[in-house]
């Protein structure tokens, strides 16, 4: 498990399409902690494939999503009907392949820093 943080979205929060990682073996876990949410409030998460929406997942209280961090995604805007802010907990993690990649990067950076 790597970084963890809380995302907070209001009616005016703008989010662009992005990827959380670029290497194999990196994953993102999203937890939707809101206790109540109506489907007309928006805040879905869109997953993209070659520039167009491949999958749209509704924001649902208590939902947990795990996905490859290389998948492009974004949170859709809240609608004017939204009566609450939208929150998510993001947890970054990796499997053995991802861990090997991070170890190689760390080893290279450590060697460079020692030689300076």
């Amino acid at each position: 498990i790597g970084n963890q943080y809380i995302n907070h979205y209001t009616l005016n929060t703008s989010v662009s399409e992005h990827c959380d990682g670029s290497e194999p073996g990196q994953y993102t876990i999203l937890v939707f902690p809101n206790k109540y949410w109506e489907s007309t409030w928006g805040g879905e998460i869109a997953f993209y494939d070659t520039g167009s929406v491949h999958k749209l997942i509704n924001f649902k209280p208590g939902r947990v999503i795990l996905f490859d961090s290389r998948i492009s995604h974004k949170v859709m805007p809240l609608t004017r009907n939204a009566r609450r802010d939208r929150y998510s907990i993001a947890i970054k993690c990796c499997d053995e392949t991802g861990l090997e990649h991070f170890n190689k990067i760390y080893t290279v950076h450590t060697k460079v820093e020692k030689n300076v």
Side-chain angles (χ1 to χ4, degrees), residues 5-50:
Y5 50 87
I6 296 172
N7 295 303
H8 176 210
Y9 303 91
T10 64
L11 184 60
N12 296 317
T13 302
S14 174
V15 178
S16 59
E17 181 183 341
H18 65 281
C19 296
D20 293 340
S22 59
E23 298 296 328
Q26 297 176 346
Y27 300 92
T28 300
I29 301 169
L30 290 179
V31 180
F32 300 156
N34 288 62
K35 291 187 182 238
Y36 182 79
W37 195 262
E38 293 186 17
S39 60
T40 60
W41 293 358
E44 304 90 348
I45 185 164
F47 290 97
Y48 293 84
D49 183 20
T50 62

